[in-house]
Amino acid sequence: MRLKNKYVFFKIAVLSLLTLNCTLISCKKFVDIPGPKGSQDQKVTFETDGTATAAVLDIYAHQEVDAPNAVFCTGLAADELVSDDATYAEFQNNTITLESFYNGTYLWTSPYFEIRRCNLAIDGINKSATLSPAVKSQLSGETLFMRAYMYFNLVNLYGGVPLALSPVETANALLPRSTPEQVWAQIFADLQQAKSLLKPAYPSTDRARVNQYAVSALLARAYLYQKDWAKAESEATEVIGSNVYSLAAPANTFKTNSNETILQLYTQTGTSSITPYFFLPEPAVNPVFYLRDGFEQAFEKTALGADDARKTNWTAKNDNGINYVNKYKVPFGTGDEYTILMRLAEIYLIRAEARANQNKLTGTTGAEADLNVIRTRAGLTAKLNLDKAAMLKAIEQERKVELFAEYTHRWFDLKRTPGFTDLSKSRAEEVLPALKGDFWQATDVLFPIPGDQLSVNKNLTQNPGY
Amino acid sequence: MIKNRQFIILILLLLSANLAKAQISLKGTNMPLQKALESIHEQSGYDLIYQVSDLENLKIINVDLQNVSVGKALQVCFANQPLIFQITDKTVMIKKQKPAPAKKASAVYPETDIRGRVIDENGQPIKGATVMLWGDETGTATDANGYFTLHTELGNLVVVTCLGYKRIQFHIGSKDFTIPLTPDNTGLNEVQVIGYGTAVKRLNTATVSSITSVEIHKQPVTDVLNALNGRMTGVQVVQASGSPGAATSIKVRGDNTLGTNGSTSSDPLYIVDGIPQASGTRYDVQNFNSNVRGMNGYTNIFSILNKEDIERIDVLKDADATAIYGARGANGVVLITTKKGKQGKVKINVNLTAGSGRVGHFIPLLNTPQYLDLRKEAFANEKITPTAANAPDLLVWDQNANTDFQKLLLGGTAKIRTVDISVSGGSEFVNYYVGLNYRKQGTVVANDQNITRGGGIMNLSIMSPNKMFNAYFSANYASEHSNLAGSSFLSLIYLPPNFPLRKGDGSLNWVNNFNNPLAALLPTYDAKTNYFAANTVLSYKLLDGLTLKTTAGYNTNSLTNNFSQPAASFNPISQQLGRATFGNSPTSNYIIEPQAEYLKKVGPGRLTALLGATFSQALSETTTLSGSNYTYDTQINTITGAGLVDIIYNYDQYRYASVYSRINYDFMDKYIVSGTFRRDASSRFGPQNRFANFGSVAAAWLFSEEKLIKQSLSFLSYGRLKFSYGTTGNDRIDNYMYLPVYAAGDIYQNIHVLSPNDLAANPAIKWESTKKAEINLSLGFLKDRILLNTNLYRNRSTNLLNYTIIAGQSGVSSSIENLDALIQNKGLEFELTTQNIMSGGFNWKSSFNISFERNKLLSFGEISKASNSSVLYIGEAVDAYINRRKYKYAGIDPTTGAPKFTDLDGKPGLGVSDRYIAPLGHPFYGGFANNFSYKGFSLELFFKFQSSRGKVNQLSNAVVPGGLMNQTTSLLNRWTPDNTTNTIWPLAVTGSGALSSAYTNLRNSDFTYGNTSYIKLKTANLTYQLPQALANKMKMQQINVSLQGLNLLAWAKDKYRLDPEYDYGTYPGLRTVLLAINCSL
């Protein structure tokens, strides 16, 4: 009996050990599963032209979705837009809180999400040995452009921001804010590199991807903001002189096939994600965002007393008597409009401003020529022989009525241009206190760094006034 | 007492003895010996085994004993009698003295075949009773006539068990005998299902709460998990809403986790017939429409399982029970076992139910005059002039119209019909169970919405003639169809009572602030779920005591659904074209578990050892097609009519492999020790942290078996002290969280873009771990007529997996990390079952359970890192769903009518530092069941109760009372210039004036947080069993008719919600009454 027991124990022990051993080895293999179907790791993604292109197009696709919020928030902060929706009141009153959802999620975080996609793509493209050279430089150029575009918005909204350039998320997480100069330097470096990598021709139809002229257009804008007038003028001239673009009739400016477009963002439906917020749902119902009372008076009349063609084509009035933005017209369903990021009219106005600041005022190479190209298209009479101050005023007015409710133009213009009466102050100080009353403070020209960001990154500092 | 003419052994047995006096008193002259022995048995509780024939005509001449031991008493009784006796533990073997000198039992009797018969208290044979040799568990089952044969030695200890009867054990005294079983109402001898095995409740070292088919059958619930509701300590059943098919989940002993997946992270491991369910209660079908979620957005497997086919549900709670499930055991384990065929003749059971449910309690809302008064007052308070734009209810709409939107939307009757037919039976070698079922369940929502399900189940077990090989096969299929469209309209019960649903031209009326309920009823939903499960168990007795077993299970569950929203269902401000979503999400799971079980009598005790391995996989693929821009609504039920199609595809593979073992040593059913160990590997973690070890130790001491206690505490019929300690884990997070990947995203220029995951992958993540400690004391009094079970536990969880906030500048907003936080769950649980009256055919039994849980976040390294840090406070309960940081409400200013708040920080204005953590109170919950039976009637009333704090004084969707939305009648008691004191509510405001900000503070104050306790008559059941004679006349074995009720009554402090058991704004549990007929052929 005892012997039998021993034998059984021995057998069991051997069996158990064997089983355990085999099981442990097979366990390891068994749970070692591949990634989910339909997914791939970064290295593989940048191995072929097709997949690498798809990864870069992701940046544009996200931009299309993220884009509207910057339009609304800065439009409200400036003198363009108002909303009945109380959640946007803090922008309308320039009393943005540290907890602001839109400021935190869309204005601050979304661009950094895009920057991460750019950083990952730049890293992937650089490391890839298998991409064809043409695609490699095209994709690099596009990605650098998009990164510069994000930093351009960030530095203008917040001042100096952290320069996240690493593909490793954690390496960027605790960076302090760089100075505005450092951010601008990075913007110019990225754009100049992009310009050298890209070709004049668009890589695809619809002008929905970046070409060399798009880079020049953004460079012109950036030089203008940095008051490098000569370079702004020369970049603008490259775009205008390319003869690739021409102004479209106001009714067609925002159409997909408008020849004025320098860069637009594709959507499957041919409708811009901005439109639903501006359109009129019913004659007596207000759109989510509409034009601030009095904005419509900024439009001049034509020589014959008719309305500015932009007023008739790009704004409308509802039964409640409010004026609303009507640049894009198809909110739902299928349309022929993409979100336009940059168009030729702005480039004319950039060059006009750059020339005016260089005292090139009159003649065919003077500011007035570019200004009048825009005025003429709107049906307005040409302005001639203005002095520098008057010309700059005229350009600001023209930018206001030409570029209203388009991206961040108006808000940035108010901040960056000096006042008409007091050059030491910004235009914002002249325009906004009258509209915003006691809400307005000089420090409102910079949006606050979101409070939750300050708490997760102790190295960040807040802007003054918050 | 049973006598058999031939050859009888009479056994007076009660393991858990009656009012046993250890001291025997016996007095009498010329007393029959048998009577004396019975008296000794009754006084001592000892089991006396003898052949009646041996005692025939034997009498005691004279006896007068006072307080002597059993041995002494027997010695006196047997003086000069031709009998000998032997006492082993508490069993007395009495034998006729033979001419040859007696030797020790085991040496005397050679190994032989013995034959016996098991009968019930009426002398009827019991089929399917298990007869086993104590120690090595070799055994057999009784046949249809109650007979069994065993190959063993005389004198060995035999254990006889049968569901519903008390377990008995005795030493075999003869080769042929009859064993009477007495009914067991205590459940102490019930066999509970534990991880990879079973255990008798009284001897179980694991803490397990169980519910069996008897209790499940009595409740008119459709979701089998709801049958547990309120009936177990430490187990809370949480249902998203009272709607049919609503996701149900179980929380065992509080939240152990901070949760990356919301509440599902604290889901226990659900195992149906050995197959783990993919990710708990439900799996996520693509977010069709947030309106549908919580109603149909998930597939709820437990609503698909047919409750009449469920044999039992066992919830494993402590370390000893759950550590064998290792990294998935931290949140408890729910084992669901379906019915199996039993030995016996063919049994056909038919169960039919029909009934209906209605909303039991409507929220008292203002009628039109009251509502309009409120509105006018609000405008007057703020000196705002009403206009057609801001007050259409006052200036445009009919001032006399009065629609009760609550009745309009929820006033219907939900019909329920079920049909269940099962056929079961078997022989010694083959058992089978086949069932078919059908159920149709409606809702109270205005239009015709139903969930219909049908299914079948079958299982077969086969034993080889030599009883060495055992095979079991089962298959379960169910198909469910639902057209429940979602519950978004529930908020619409608060529409202004004079809101016109249609404009003058008959078209739907729209206001920006809210949806039109008629439009909310326009979308259609159509979902089909198919569930199939198959299971095989093969076991082979390789050696004496060693059994090899392999379990293989597979199940698949697929949901195909379609949600169509015609253009007319949208408010034109947001959308003007139709949309439709089509989803398909097949899920499949398999599991293979080779096991070896070893059972041996070692020394004086019984050793049970288990060694096993698991290989399991859960696979799910979800494809969602979202169609938009439908040109024609007539095309809305097909994706091909969509102008734009968006495709989302999700693939999830989860693999799991482990080895596990358990060792249990039972010393004479008195001292039991047990230990488990498991090593796990999960594909949810990166290669560096894939493996982890878990284990537990436990010990139980049945102190009532100690002689000393038996003698001194005779009223104590059962006493057990138990202790367990161990480590378990939790890996309930999404798959692939460790892996950085690119996946296909939107379409840009006709190219599917590749998008990096927005969540930073973390290859360093590992299991959450929970250390569980428990002490359990079980006591039985008065022959177990009173049973008290007490648990005291403390669980501590750490390495908590949670999303952490990472600065947005990194390009991701969160990452997943094991946080340096420690959550403690402490609790005290009581279960009391009593048999109050058992006389004259009238029985009254009660059972009461109550659980006190204290959840606390003990420490947290860097609390601000957690994504849900705003609702986490060190030293407070972890409750991710209610932010308890509130302003302190200080009543109403009688002059202005505005709410006041206590200034906590001394600084002017209300700021963050004026908030305090509103107290959680002392939450507890439990249930109280009473069963009465008299003759053929039985009545069960079950109450569920809960003491808690949460949301109260909630306004309707409107931000303020006085806005364009109806309110509850509690607003009648508001501050007005004429009624300035003792009001509940501050003054009415419109929502646009300056005063309305006071309501923002009010909402964030403890005014909206208070007592949410309730008591509910959760279920009631009145059953009448037709007399046997009548049943027989109808050629049936048994017929009973019952009336079943659910959610019959509720008492709650807050009467302004539909159902205190569910959150505001969710579909309530319906007051349901069913008539059920059950016949056995």
Side-chain angles (χ1 to χ4, degrees), chain B residues 187-199:
Chain B
L188 271 182
N189 296 307
E190 178 195 340
V191 176
Q192 294 182 309
V193 179
I194 56 169
Y196 309 107
T198 56

mmCIF file of all heavy atoms in Angstrom, chain B residues 187-199:
data_model
loop_
_atom_site.group_PDB
_atom_site.id
_atom_site.type_symbol
_atom_site.label_atom_id
_atom_site.label_comp_id
_atom_site.label_asym_id
_atom_site.label_seq_id
_atom_site.Cartn_x
_atom_site.Cartn_y
_atom_site.Cartn_z
ATOM 1 N N GLY B 187 -29.628 24.858 3.834
ATOM 2 C CA GLY B 187 -28.671 25.136 2.771
ATOM 3 C C GLY B 187 -27.234 24.881 3.174
ATOM 4 O O GLY B 187 -26.331 24.997 2.368
ATOM 5 N N LEU B 188 -27.020 24.495 4.425
ATOM 6 C CA LEU B 188 -25.645 24.297 4.884
ATOM 7 C C LEU B 188 -24.953 23.141 4.168
ATOM 8 O O LEU B 188 -23.739 23.110 4.057
ATOM 9 C CB LEU B 188 -25.629 24.008 6.387
ATOM 10 C CG LEU B 188 -25.550 25.203 7.317
ATOM 11 C CD1 LEU B 188 -25.489 24.725 8.739
ATOM 12 C CD2 LEU B 188 -24.351 26.064 6.989
ATOM 13 N N ASN B 189 -25.751 22.201 3.714
ATOM 14 C CA ASN B 189 -25.169 21.029 3.062
ATOM 15 C C ASN B 189 -25.249 21.116 1.548
ATOM 16 O O ASN B 189 -24.945 20.171 0.842
ATOM 17 C CB ASN B 189 -25.859 19.772 3.561
ATOM 18 C CG ASN B 189 -25.605 19.587 5.038
ATOM 19 O OD1 ASN B 189 -24.459 19.587 5.460
ATOM 20 N ND2 ASN B 189 -26.667 19.502 5.819
ATOM 21 N N GLU B 190 -25.665 22.279 1.122
ATOM 22 C CA GLU B 190 -25.762 22.532 -0.309
ATOM 23 C C GLU B 190 -24.343 22.485 -0.902
ATOM 24 O O GLU B 190 -23.374 22.877 -0.267
ATOM 25 C CB GLU B 190 -26.366 23.932 -0.448
ATOM 26 C CG GLU B 190 -26.519 24.456 -1.818
ATOM 27 C CD GLU B 190 -26.784 25.972 -1.763
ATOM 28 O OE1 GLU B 190 -27.205 26.472 -0.686
ATOM 29 O OE2 GLU B 190 -26.542 26.614 -2.764
ATOM 30 N N VAL B 191 -24.265 22.008 -2.138
ATOM 31 C CA VAL B 191 -22.972 21.978 -2.811
ATOM 32 C C VAL B 191 -22.828 23.266 -3.604
ATOM 33 O O VAL B 191 -23.648 23.573 -4.467
ATOM 34 C CB VAL B 191 -22.870 20.759 -3.746
ATOM 35 C CG1 VAL B 191 -21.560 20.789 -4.516
ATOM 36 C CG2 VAL B 191 -22.971 19.485 -2.919
ATOM 37 N N GLN B 192 -21.837 24.053 -3.271
ATOM 38 C CA GLN B 192 -21.618 25.300 -3.983
ATOM 39 C C GLN B 192 -20.574 25.118 -5.070
ATOM 40 O O GLN B 192 -19.680 24.289 -4.954
ATOM 41 C CB GLN B 192 -21.137 26.379 -3.006
ATOM 42 C CG GLN B 192 -22.186 26.747 -1.976
ATOM 43 C CD GLN B 192 -21.715 27.845 -1.053
ATOM 44 O OE1 GLN B 192 -20.636 27.764 -0.490
ATOM 45 N NE2 GLN B 192 -22.530 28.876 -0.896
ATOM 46 N N VAL B 193 -20.724 25.899 -6.105
ATOM 47 C CA VAL B 193 -19.735 25.852 -7.177
ATOM 48 C C VAL B 193 -18.635 26.847 -6.826
ATOM 49 O O VAL B 193 -18.920 27.995 -6.476
ATOM 50 C CB VAL B 193 -20.373 26.214 -8.532
ATOM 51 C CG1 VAL B 193 -19.342 26.188 -9.635
ATOM 52 C CG2 VAL B 193 -21.506 25.244 -8.844
ATOM 53 N N ILE B 194 -17.407 26.385 -6.873
ATOM 54 C CA ILE B 194 -16.273 27.296 -6.638
ATOM 55 C C ILE B 194 -15.371 27.228 -7.859
ATOM 56 O O ILE B 194 -15.686 26.529 -8.820
ATOM 57 C CB ILE B 194 -15.500 26.918 -5.353
ATOM 58 C CG1 ILE B 194 -15.040 25.468 -5.424
ATOM 59 C CG2 ILE B 194 -16.369 27.152 -4.125
ATOM 60 C CD1 ILE B 194 -14.062 25.080 -4.343
ATOM 61 N N GLY B 195 -14.301 27.954 -7.849
ATOM 62 C CA GLY B 195 -13.406 27.954 -8.994
ATOM 63 C C GLY B 195 -12.888 26.552 -9.288
ATOM 64 O O GLY B 195 -12.255 25.946 -8.438
ATOM 65 N N TYR B 196 -13.216 26.031 -10.441
ATOM 66 C CA TYR B 196 -12.747 24.709 -10.879
ATOM 67 C C TYR B 196 -13.140 23.603 -9.899
ATOM 68 O O TYR B 196 -12.339 22.738 -9.589
ATOM 69 C CB TYR B 196 -11.238 24.691 -11.098
ATOM 70 C CG TYR B 196 -10.761 25.808 -11.980
ATOM 71 C CD1 TYR B 196 -10.071 26.881 -11.446
ATOM 72 C CD2 TYR B 196 -11.035 25.806 -13.342
ATOM 73 C CE1 TYR B 196 -9.657 27.936 -12.252
ATOM 74 C CE2 TYR B 196 -10.627 26.854 -14.146
ATOM 75 C CZ TYR B 196 -9.928 27.909 -13.602
ATOM 76 O OH TYR B 196 -9.534 28.936 -14.394
ATOM 77 N N GLY B 197 -14.338 23.655 -9.374
ATOM 78 C CA GLY B 197 -14.751 22.573 -8.490
ATOM 79 C C GLY B 197 -16.018 22.912 -7.739
ATOM 80 O O GLY B 197 -16.713 23.874 -8.050
ATOM 81 N N THR B 198 -16.294 22.090 -6.753
ATOM 82 C CA THR B 198 -17.459 22.333 -5.917
ATOM 83 C C THR B 198 -17.046 22.130 -4.463
ATOM 84 O O THR B 198 -16.007 21.534 -4.177
ATOM 85 C CB THR B 198 -18.603 21.346 -6.231
ATOM 86 O OG1 THR B 198 -18.100 20.023 -6.078
ATOM 87 C CG2 THR B 198 -19.146 21.536 -7.625
ATOM 88 N N ALA B 199 -17.867 22.635 -3.567
ATOM 89 C CA ALA B 199 -17.589 22.428 -2.153
ATOM 90 C C ALA B 199 -18.911 22.465 -1.395
ATOM 91 O O ALA B 199 -19.824 23.211 -1.763
ATOM 92 C CB ALA B 199 -16.663 23.526 -1.618
#
